[in-house]
Amino acid sequence: MKRFHFLLSLHVVLIFNPLKAQEIKQRLDSFLAIAANNDYFNGCVMVSEKGKNIYSYAAGYADEEKKTPNSINTCFNLASVSKPFTALAVLQLVQHRKCKLSDPVMKYFPDFPYPAITVRHLLSHTGGLPQLERFMDDVIEANKDKIFTNEELYGYLLAQKGKMKFPAGEKWDYSNMGYLILALLVEKISGQSFEKYMEQKIFRPAGMNSSFIRSAGSPEPDCAIRYIIPSMYDSVYLSIPSLYNTKIYTHKNLGNTRGPGNMFSTLEDLMRFDNALYSGKLLDTTLLRESQTPVTLNNGKQHNYGFGWNIVYNQFGDTLVYHDGHVVGIVAMMLKNKTKDQTIFFYDNHSSEAFFQKINTISHFLNGRGAKPLRLTKSLVKAYARALVEKGPDYAAVVFNTLKSDTANYYLDELEMNNLGYNLVNNAEFEGHMQFACEVLKLNTILFPKSANTYDSYAMALSSAGKKQEAIIMYQKALLLNPNNEQGRIALGKLIAK
């Protein structure tokens, strides 16, 4: 698929000094055009200040086949930007005295095997529940084409029989499972489906006419298509619907969960939500303030997350609240500078790199500050990967050694090299792919000899290639560097027992 950028710079409403506004617009336009032309931005950004749209910019296509450009009216998957909405639904029930933050979850779900976990814990990610994505690994592996519902996933949680990562309130640990249960809680208390509740109590009152929760089992809606480059050794973007889920992870199996994600909206609708939320139309000011206050853990320390919101106090004296969203093929952000009454709305349906840097740069430029330029250097790992697959290990080694000293144009990243190895083990189907995987992950141990993860990954590849003794030695090396690597210890035990 040919890469093509459709650049569209929209209006700036001059609600401050016209000359300053024009200068800010030019800086933002220039920055985003450079990002788009260097494959760092394919989506849309909009900024509101004091409730008005003051800046918009779009790049690339929402649908490359139909040549539909991205815009502020493009419907897109919010991913985890859905969480503030789920938290709001629960807080509305608290406001209307249908439940309390201090209520144990088992008050509403008697079979819930965690008596110490409260509604507050789920909202603030401090419940200590097992990680949804972890305990579902084996289930998904055995049911690669199945799309799981909230109810089914809750059933698998019950099968964990009360196992916790830590006691409730002791730590902060991001939990999609917790927000899935919160969606079930909204349904239980309100007597409505989560989709219907959100439509009636949030979307409609806020004037969000283009927003909805995707129903369980329904097909992908006609919104911005998500695109990825499937592997480190590919160079062309492909649409998520065109990929075979059993070989390339696309989040399909967990893609219909309600609560942690799966809300669809537009940037214009998000601005309407922002205005409705801070005008008191959706929630009283006391509960809104509490939702944007850092949670206090059992030890008295705070973590900068409230109920569905990250909270940041920057070096300029501003209070920022935000939530970002990431799912395969799309990233999204809703960030509010409460001090300036300024909100950035953003999505990118290519999951382009330097996500947070772009958001920070936009924020700095809006307020007349400087910002670091984007790192426009290319990935040495990707150049090496393409050479490896096209012409083999010797040619790839020549390419790697030729480019590695050219730090002005190429960067080297340990995690990228690790991901390349995993791509070759799990996704590649061509002859010799396992040998290539071992070659890549071996190189990573040489490049980053103090990293336990490089040895652990190399051990995994060796084990998959049937090299038992070599894999055992590498797992032992990984555990020497990181004795807390429980998964590595389990894998080593299984190998020795064979």
Side-chain angles (χ1 to χ4, degrees), residues 320-396:
L320 312 177
V321 295
Y322 74 92
H323 214 295
D324 51 308
H326 307 254
V327 71
V328 181
I330 201 160
V331 291
M333 171 68 84
M334 179 166 56
L335 180 147
K336 187 172 190 69
N337 184 325
K338 295 178 69 177
T339 306
K340 300 282 196 303
D341 193 8
Q342 197 176 73
T343 310
I344 298 170
F345 312 96
F346 177 100
Y347 76 88
D348 184 325
N349 62 321
H350 277 198
S351 284
S352 303
E353 296 180 21
F355 173 54
F356 279 101
Q357 185 184 349
K358 283 177 287 196
I359 301 297
N360 287 334
T361 298
I362 293 167
S363 178
H364 284 317
F365 282 176
L366 284 169
N367 293 291
R369 304 171 188 141
K372 292 181 180 179
L374 280 173
R375 181 182 72 177
L376 298 178
T377 50
K378 299 174 184 177
S379 167
L380 176 54
V381 173
K382 291 179 181 178
Y384 168 74
R386 288 191 285 271
L388 179 68
V389 173
E390 289 171 11
K391 296 187 179 181
D394 291 334
Y395 177 72

Coordinates of all heavy atoms in Angstrom, one line a residue, residues 320-396:
L320 N -2.4 19.2 35.0 CA -2.9 18.5 33.8 C -3.6 17.2 34.2 O -3.1 16.5 35.1 CB -1.7 18.1 32.9 CG -0.7 19.2 32.6 CD1 0.5 18.7 31.7 CD2 -1.3 20.4 31.9
V321 N -4.7 16.9 33.6 CA -5.4 15.6 33.7 C -5.5 15.0 32.3 O -5.8 15.7 31.4 CB -6.7 15.7 34.4 CG1 -6.5 16.2 35.9 CG2 -7.7 16.6 33.7
Y322 N -5.3 13.7 32.2 CA -5.4 13.1 30.9 C -5.6 11.6 31.0 O -5.5 11.0 32.0 CB -4.0 13.4 30.1 CG -2.9 12.5 30.6 CD1 -2.6 11.3 30.0 CD2 -2.1 12.9 31.7 CE1 -1.5 10.5 30.4 CE2 -1.0 12.2 32.1 CZ -0.7 10.9 31.5 OH 0.3 10.2 31.9
H323 N -6.0 11.1 29.8 CA -5.9 9.6 29.6 C -5.5 9.4 28.2 O -6.0 10.0 27.3 CB -7.2 8.9 29.9 CG -7.0 7.5 30.5 ND1 -6.4 6.5 29.8 CD2 -7.2 7.1 31.7 CE1 -6.3 5.5 30.6 NE2 -6.8 5.8 31.8
D324 N -4.6 8.4 28.0 CA -4.1 8.0 26.7 C -4.8 6.7 26.4 O -5.2 5.9 27.3 CB -2.6 8.0 26.6 CG -2.0 7.1 27.8 OD1 -2.3 7.4 28.9 OD2 -1.2 6.2 27.5
G325 N -4.8 6.3 25.1 CA -5.3 5.0 24.7 C -4.5 4.4 23.7 O -4.0 5.1 22.8
H326 N -4.2 3.1 23.8 CA -3.4 2.4 22.8 C -4.1 1.0 22.5 O -4.3 0.2 23.5 CB -2.0 2.1 23.4 CG -1.3 3.3 23.9 ND1 -0.3 3.9 23.3 CD2 -1.5 4.1 25.0 CE1 0.1 5.0 24.0 NE2 -0.6 5.1 25.0
V327 N -4.4 0.7 21.3 CA -4.8 -0.6 20.9 C -4.1 -0.8 19.5 O -3.8 0.2 18.9 CB -6.3 -0.7 20.8 CG1 -6.9 0.0 19.7 CG2 -6.7 -2.2 20.8
V328 N -3.9 -2.0 19.1 CA -3.1 -2.3 17.9 C -3.6 -1.4 16.7 O -4.8 -1.5 16.3 CB -3.2 -3.8 17.5 CG1 -2.3 -4.0 16.3 CG2 -2.7 -4.6 18.7
G329 N -2.8 -0.5 16.2 CA -3.1 0.3 15.1 C -3.7 1.6 15.4 O -4.0 2.4 14.4
I330 N -3.8 2.0 16.6 CA -4.3 3.4 16.9 C -3.8 3.8 18.3 O -3.7 3.0 19.2 CB -5.9 3.5 16.9 CG1 -6.3 4.9 16.7 CG2 -6.5 2.8 18.1 CD1 -7.7 5.1 16.1
V331 N -3.6 5.1 18.4 CA -3.3 5.7 19.7 C -4.2 7.0 19.8 O -4.5 7.6 18.8 CB -1.8 6.1 19.9 CG1 -0.9 4.9 20.0 CG2 -1.3 7.0 18.7
A332 N -4.6 7.3 21.1 CA -5.5 8.4 21.3 C -5.1 9.1 22.6 O -4.5 8.5 23.5 CB -6.9 7.9 21.3
M333 N -5.5 10.4 22.7 CA -5.2 11.2 23.9 C -6.3 12.2 24.1 O -6.8 12.8 23.1 CB -3.9 11.8 23.7 CG -3.5 12.8 24.8 SD -3.3 12.1 26.5 CE -1.6 11.6 26.3
M334 N -6.7 12.4 25.4 CA -7.5 13.6 25.8 C -6.7 14.2 27.0 O -6.7 13.5 28.0 CB -8.9 13.2 26.1 CG -9.8 14.3 26.6 SD -11.5 13.9 26.6 CE -11.6 12.4 27.7
L335 N -6.1 15.3 26.8 CA -5.3 16.0 27.9 C -5.8 17.4 28.1 O -5.9 18.2 27.2 CB -3.9 16.0 27.4 CG -2.9 16.6 28.4 CD1 -1.5 16.0 28.3 CD2 -2.7 18.2 28.2
K336 N -6.2 17.6 29.4 CA -6.7 19.0 29.8 C -5.7 19.7 30.7 O -5.3 19.1 31.7 CB -8.0 18.9 30.5 CG -8.6 20.3 30.7 CD -10.0 20.1 31.3 CE -10.7 21.5 31.3 NZ -11.0 22.0 29.9
N337 N -5.3 20.9 30.3 CA -4.5 21.8 31.2 C -5.6 22.6 32.0 O -6.2 23.5 31.4 CB -3.6 22.7 30.4 CG -2.8 23.6 31.2 OD1 -3.2 24.0 32.3 ND2 -1.6 23.8 30.8
K338 N -5.9 22.1 33.2 CA -6.9 22.8 34.0 C -6.6 24.2 34.3 O -7.5 25.1 34.4 CB -7.2 22.0 35.3 CG -7.7 20.6 35.0 CD -7.9 19.8 36.3 CE -9.1 20.3 37.1 NZ -9.3 19.5 38.3
T339 N -5.3 24.5 34.5 CA -4.9 25.8 34.8 C -5.2 26.8 33.7 O -5.6 27.9 33.9 CB -3.4 25.9 35.1 OG1 -3.1 24.9 36.2 CG2 -2.9 27.2 35.6
K340 N -4.9 26.3 32.4 CA -5.1 27.2 31.3 C -6.5 27.0 30.6 O -6.8 27.7 29.7 CB -4.1 26.9 30.2 CG -2.6 27.1 30.6 CD -2.2 28.5 30.6 CE -0.7 28.7 30.7 NZ 0.0 28.1 31.8
D341 N -7.3 26.1 31.1 CA -8.6 25.7 30.5 C -8.4 25.4 29.0 O -9.0 25.9 28.2 CB -9.6 26.8 30.7 CG -11.0 26.3 30.4 OD1 -11.2 25.1 30.2 OD2 -12.0 27.1 30.3
Q342 N -7.5 24.5 28.8 CA -7.0 24.2 27.4 C -7.0 22.7 27.3 O -6.4 22.0 28.2 CB -5.6 24.7 27.3 CG -5.0 24.9 26.0 CD -3.6 25.6 26.1 OE1 -2.7 25.0 26.6 NE2 -3.6 26.9 25.8
T343 N -7.5 22.1 26.2 CA -7.6 20.7 26.1 C -7.1 20.2 24.7 O -7.5 20.8 23.7 CB -9.0 20.1 26.3 OG1 -9.6 20.7 27.5 CG2 -9.1 18.6 26.4
I344 N -6.3 19.2 24.7 CA -5.8 18.6 23.5 C -6.5 17.3 23.2 O -6.5 16.4 24.1 CB -4.2 18.4 23.5 CG1 -3.5 19.7 23.7 CG2 -3.7 17.7 22.3 CD1 -2.0 19.6 24.0
F345 N -7.0 17.1 22.0 CA -7.7 15.9 21.6 C -6.9 15.3 20.4 O -6.6 16.1 19.5 CB -9.1 16.1 21.2 CG -9.9 16.9 22.2 CD1 -10.1 18.3 22.0 CD2 -10.5 16.3 23.3 CE1 -10.8 19.1 22.9 CE2 -11.2 17.1 24.2 CZ -11.4 18.4 24.0
F346 N -6.6 14.1 20.4 CA -5.7 13.5 19.4 C -5.9 12.1 19.1 O -6.3 11.3 20.0 CB -4.3 13.7 20.1 CG -3.1 13.1 19.2 CD1 -2.3 14.0 18.5 CD2 -2.8 11.8 19.2 CE1 -1.2 13.5 17.8 CE2 -1.7 11.3 18.5 CZ -1.0 12.1 17.8
Y347 N -5.8 11.7 17.9 CA -5.7 10.3 17.5 C -4.8 10.1 16.3 O -4.6 11.0 15.5 CB -7.1 9.7 17.2 CG -7.7 10.0 15.9 CD1 -7.4 9.3 14.7 CD2 -8.5 11.2 15.7 CE1 -7.9 9.6 13.5 CE2 -9.0 11.5 14.5 CZ -8.7 10.7 13.3 OH -9.2 11.1 12.1
D348 N -4.2 8.9 16.2 CA -3.3 8.5 15.1 C -3.6 7.1 14.7 O -3.4 6.2 15.5 CB -1.9 8.7 15.6 CG -0.9 8.5 14.4 OD1 -1.1 7.6 13.6 OD2 0.2 9.1 14.4
N349 N -4.2 6.8 13.6 CA -4.6 5.5 13.2 C -3.5 4.7 12.5 O -3.7 3.7 11.8 CB -5.9 5.5 12.3 CG -5.7 6.2 11.0 OD1 -5.1 7.3 11.0 ND2 -6.4 5.7 10.0
H350 N -2.2 5.1 12.7 CA -1.0 4.4 12.3 C -0.2 4.0 13.5 O 0.9 3.5 13.4 CB -0.2 5.1 11.3 CG -0.6 5.0 9.9 ND1 0.2 5.3 8.8 CD2 -1.8 4.6 9.4 CE1 -0.5 5.1 7.7 NE2 -1.7 4.7 8.0
S351 N -0.7 4.4 14.7 CA 0.1 4.1 15.9 C 1.5 4.6 15.8 O 2.5 4.0 16.1 CB 0.1 2.7 16.3 OG -1.1 2.2 16.9
S352 N 1.7 5.8 15.2 CA 3.0 6.4 14.9 C 3.8 6.6 16.2 O 3.3 6.7 17.3 CB 2.9 7.7 14.2 OG 2.1 7.5 13.0
E353 N 5.1 6.6 16.0 CA 6.1 6.7 17.1 C 6.0 8.1 17.8 O 5.4 9.0 17.2 CB 7.5 6.4 16.7 CG 7.6 4.9 16.2 CD 9.0 4.6 15.7 OE1 10.0 5.3 16.2 OE2 9.2 3.6 15.0
A354 N 6.7 8.2 18.9 CA 6.9 9.5 19.6 C 5.6 10.1 20.1 O 5.4 11.3 20.0 CB 7.7 10.5 18.8
F355 N 4.7 9.3 20.5 CA 3.3 9.7 20.9 C 3.3 10.8 21.9 O 2.8 11.9 21.7 CB 2.6 8.5 21.4 CG 1.2 8.7 21.9 CD1 0.3 9.4 21.2 CD2 0.8 8.3 23.2 CE1 -1.0 9.7 21.7 CE2 -0.4 8.5 23.7 CZ -1.3 9.2 23.0
F356 N 3.9 10.5 23.1 CA 3.9 11.5 24.1 C 4.7 12.8 23.8 O 4.4 13.9 24.2 CB 4.4 10.9 25.5 CG 3.3 10.1 26.2 CD1 3.3 8.7 26.1 CD2 2.3 10.7 26.9 CE1 2.3 8.0 26.7 CE2 1.4 10.0 27.6 CZ 1.4 8.6 27.5
Q357 N 5.8 12.6 23.1 CA 6.6 13.7 22.7 C 5.8 14.7 21.8 O 5.8 15.9 21.9 CB 7.8 13.3 21.9 CG 8.8 14.5 21.6 CD 10.0 14.2 20.8 OE1 10.3 13.0 20.6 NE2 10.7 15.2 20.3
K358 N 4.9 14.1 20.9 CA 4.1 15.0 20.1 C 3.1 15.8 20.9 O 2.9 17.0 20.7 CB 3.4 14.1 19.0 CG 4.3 13.7 17.9 CD 3.6 12.8 16.9 CE 3.4 11.4 17.4 NZ 3.0 10.4 16.4
I359 N 2.5 15.1 21.9 CA 1.5 15.7 22.7 C 2.2 16.9 23.5 O 1.7 18.0 23.6 CB 0.8 14.7 23.7 CG1 0.1 13.6 22.9 CG2 -0.1 15.4 24.6 CD1 -1.0 14.1 22.0
N360 N 3.3 16.6 24.1 CA 4.1 17.6 24.9 C 4.5 18.8 24.0 O 4.4 19.9 24.5 CB 5.3 16.9 25.5 CG 4.9 16.0 26.7 OD1 3.9 16.2 27.3 ND2 5.8 15.0 27.0
T361 N 4.9 18.5 22.8 CA 5.3 19.6 21.9 C 4.2 20.5 21.6 O 4.3 21.7 21.6 CB 6.0 19.0 20.6 OG1 7.1 18.3 21.0 CG2 6.3 20.1 19.7
I362 N 3.0 19.9 21.3 CA 1.8 20.7 21.0 C 1.5 21.5 22.2 O 1.2 22.7 22.0 CB 0.6 19.7 20.6 CG1 0.9 19.0 19.3 CG2 -0.7 20.5 20.6 CD1 0.0 17.9 19.0
S363 N 1.5 21.0 23.4 CA 1.2 21.7 24.6 C 2.2 22.9 24.8 O 1.8 24.0 25.1 CB 1.2 20.8 25.8 OG 1.0 21.5 27.0
H364 N 3.5 22.6 24.6 CA 4.5 23.7 24.8 C 4.3 24.8 23.8 O 4.3 26.0 24.1 CB 5.9 23.1 24.6 CG 6.3 22.3 25.8 ND1 6.1 22.7 27.1 CD2 7.0 21.1 25.9 CE1 6.7 21.8 28.0 NE2 7.2 20.8 27.3
F365 N 4.1 24.4 22.5 CA 3.9 25.4 21.5 C 2.6 26.3 21.7 O 2.7 27.5 21.5 CB 3.8 24.8 20.1 CG 5.1 24.4 19.5 CD1 5.2 23.7 18.3 CD2 6.3 24.6 20.2 CE1 6.4 23.3 17.8 CE2 7.5 24.2 19.6 CZ 7.5 23.5 18.4
L366 N 1.6 25.7 22.2 CA 0.4 26.4 22.5 C 0.6 27.5 23.5 O -0.1 28.6 23.5 CB -0.7 25.5 23.0 CG -1.4 24.6 22.0 CD1 -2.3 23.5 22.7 CD2 -2.3 25.4 21.1
N367 N 1.6 27.3 24.4 CA 1.8 28.2 25.5 C 3.1 29.0 25.3 O 3.7 29.5 26.3 CB 1.8 27.5 26.8 CG 0.4 26.9 27.1 OD1 -0.5 27.7 27.4 ND2 0.2 25.6 27.0
G368 N 3.6 29.1 24.1 CA 4.7 29.9 23.7 C 6.0 29.4 24.2 O 7.0 30.2 24.4
R369 N 6.1 28.1 24.5 CA 7.4 27.5 25.0 C 8.1 26.7 23.9 O 7.5 26.3 22.9 CB 7.1 26.6 26.2 CG 6.3 27.2 27.3 CD 5.9 26.2 28.3 NE 5.0 26.8 29.3 CZ 3.9 26.1 29.8 NH1 3.6 24.9 29.4 NH2 3.2 26.7 30.7
G370 N 9.4 26.5 24.1 CA 10.1 25.7 23.2 C 9.9 24.2 23.4 O 9.3 23.8 24.5
A371 N 10.3 23.4 22.5 CA 10.2 21.9 22.7 C 11.3 21.2 21.9 O 11.9 21.8 21.0 CB 8.8 21.5 22.2
K372 N 11.6 20.0 22.4 CA 12.6 19.2 21.7 C 12.1 18.8 20.3 O 11.0 18.5 20.1 CB 12.9 18.0 22.5 CG 13.7 18.2 23.8 CD 13.9 16.9 24.5 CE 14.6 17.1 25.8 NZ 14.9 15.8 26.5
P373 N 13.0 18.8 19.3 CA 12.6 18.4 17.9 C 12.3 16.9 17.9 O 12.9 16.1 18.8 CB 13.8 18.8 17.0 CG 14.9 18.8 18.0 CD 14.4 19.3 19.3
L374 N 11.5 16.4 17.0 CA 11.3 15.0 16.9 C 12.6 14.3 16.5 O 13.4 14.8 15.7 CB 10.3 14.7 15.8 CG 8.8 14.8 16.2 CD1 7.9 14.7 14.9 CD2 8.4 13.8 17.2
R375 N 12.8 13.1 17.0 CA 13.9 12.3 16.6 C 13.6 11.6 15.3 O 12.8 10.7 15.2 CB 14.2 11.2 17.6 CG 15.4 10.3 17.3 CD 15.7 9.2 18.3 NE 14.6 8.2 18.2 CZ 14.6 7.1 19.0 NH1 15.6 6.9 19.9 NH2 13.7 6.2 18.8
L376 N 14.1 12.2 14.2 CA 13.8 11.7 12.9 C 14.8 10.7 12.3 O 14.8 10.3 11.2 CB 13.7 12.9 11.9 CG 12.7 13.9 12.2 CD1 12.7 15.1 11.2 CD2 11.3 13.3 12.2
T377 N 15.7 10.2 13.2 CA 16.6 9.1 12.8 C 15.8 7.8 12.6 O 14.7 7.6 13.1 CB 17.6 8.9 13.9 OG1 17.0 8.8 15.2 CG2 18.6 10.0 14.0
K378 N 16.4 7.0 11.8 CA 15.7 5.7 11.4 C 16.1 4.6 12.3 O 17.2 4.6 13.0 CB 16.1 5.4 9.9 CG 15.6 6.5 8.9 CD 16.2 6.1 7.5 CE 15.8 7.2 6.6 NZ 16.4 7.0 5.2
S379 N 15.3 3.5 12.3 CA 15.6 2.4 13.2 C 16.6 1.5 12.5 O 16.4 0.9 11.4 CB 14.3 1.6 13.4 OG 14.6 0.3 13.9
L380 N 17.7 1.3 13.2 CA 18.8 0.4 12.8 C 18.2 -1.1 12.8 O 18.6 -1.9 11.9 CB 20.0 0.5 13.6 CG 21.2 -0.5 13.4 CD1 21.6 -0.4 11.9 CD2 22.3 -0.2 14.3
V381 N 17.4 -1.4 13.8 CA 16.9 -2.7 13.9 C 16.0 -3.1 12.6 O 16.1 -4.2 12.1 CB 16.0 -2.9 15.2 CG1 15.3 -4.2 15.2 CG2 16.9 -2.8 16.4
K382 N 15.2 -2.1 12.2 CA 14.3 -2.4 11.0 C 15.2 -2.5 9.8 O 14.8 -3.4 8.9 CB 13.3 -1.2 10.9 CG 12.3 -1.2 12.0 CD 11.3 -0.1 11.8 CE 10.3 -0.1 12.9 NZ 9.3 1.1 12.8
A383 N 16.2 -1.7 9.6 CA 17.1 -1.9 8.5 C 17.8 -3.3 8.5 O 17.9 -4.0 7.5 CB 18.1 -0.8 8.4
Y384 N 18.2 -3.7 9.7 CA 18.8 -5.0 9.8 C 17.8 -6.1 9.6 O 18.2 -7.1 8.9 CB 19.4 -5.1 11.3 CG 19.8 -6.4 11.7 CD1 21.0 -7.0 11.3 CD2 19.0 -7.2 12.6 CE1 21.4 -8.3 11.7 CE2 19.4 -8.4 13.0 CZ 20.6 -9.0 12.6 OH 20.9 -10.3 13.0
A385 N 16.6 -5.9 10.0 CA 15.6 -7.0 9.9 C 15.3 -7.2 8.4 O 15.2 -8.3 7.9 CB 14.3 -6.5 10.6
R386 N 15.1 -6.1 7.7 CA 14.8 -6.3 6.2 C 15.9 -6.9 5.5 O 15.7 -7.8 4.6 CB 14.4 -4.9 5.6 CG 13.1 -4.4 6.1 CD 12.6 -3.2 5.3 NE 13.3 -2.0 5.7 CZ 12.9 -1.1 6.6 NH1 11.9 -1.4 7.3 NH2 13.6 -0.1 6.9
A387 N 17.2 -6.6 5.9 CA 18.3 -7.2 5.2 C 18.4 -8.7 5.6 O 18.7 -9.5 4.7 CB 19.6 -6.5 5.7
L388 N 18.1 -9.0 6.8 CA 18.1 -10.4 7.3 C 17.2 -11.3 6.5 O 17.5 -12.3 6.0 CB 17.8 -10.5 8.7 CG 17.8 -11.8 9.4 CD1 19.2 -12.4 9.4 CD2 17.2 -11.7 10.8
V389 N 15.9 -10.8 6.3 CA 14.9 -11.6 5.7 C 15.1 -11.6 4.2 O 14.9 -12.7 3.5 CB 13.5 -11.0 6.0 CG1 12.4 -11.7 5.2 CG2 13.2 -11.2 7.5
E390 N 15.6 -10.5 3.6 CA 15.8 -10.5 2.2 C 17.0 -11.3 1.7 O 17.0 -12.0 0.7 CB 16.0 -9.0 1.7 CG 14.7 -8.3 1.8 CD 14.9 -6.8 1.5 OE1 16.0 -6.4 1.1 OE2 13.9 -6.0 1.8
K391 N 18.2 -11.2 2.4 CA 19.4 -11.8 1.9 C 20.2 -12.6 2.9 O 21.3 -13.1 2.6 CB 20.3 -10.7 1.4 CG 19.7 -9.9 0.2 CD 20.7 -9.0 -0.5 CE 20.1 -8.3 -1.7 NZ 21.1 -7.3 -2.3
G392 N 19.7 -12.8 4.1 CA 20.3 -13.7 5.1 C 21.2 -13.0 6.1 O 21.5 -11.8 6.0
P393 N 21.7 -13.9 7.1 CA 22.5 -13.3 8.2 C 23.8 -12.6 7.9 O 24.1 -11.6 8.5 CB 22.8 -14.6 9.0 CG 21.8 -15.6 8.6 CD 21.5 -15.3 7.2
D394 N 24.5 -13.1 6.9 CA 25.8 -12.4 6.6 C 25.6 -11.0 6.0 O 26.3 -10.1 6.4 CB 26.6 -13.3 5.6 CG 27.1 -14.6 6.2 OD1 27.3 -14.6 7.5 OD2 27.3 -15.6 5.5
Y395 N 24.6 -10.9 5.1 CA 24.3 -9.6 4.5 C 23.8 -8.7 5.6 O 24.2 -7.5 5.6 CB 23.3 -9.8 3.4 CG 22.9 -8.4 2.8 CD1 23.8 -7.7 2.0 CD2 21.6 -7.9 3.0 CE1 23.4 -6.5 1.4 CE2 21.2 -6.7 2.5 CZ 22.1 -6.0 1.7 OH 21.7 -4.8 1.1
A396 N 22.9 -9.2 6.5 CA 22.4 -8.4 7.5 C 23.5 -7.9 8.5 O 23.4 -6.7 8.9 CB 21.3 -9.2 8.3

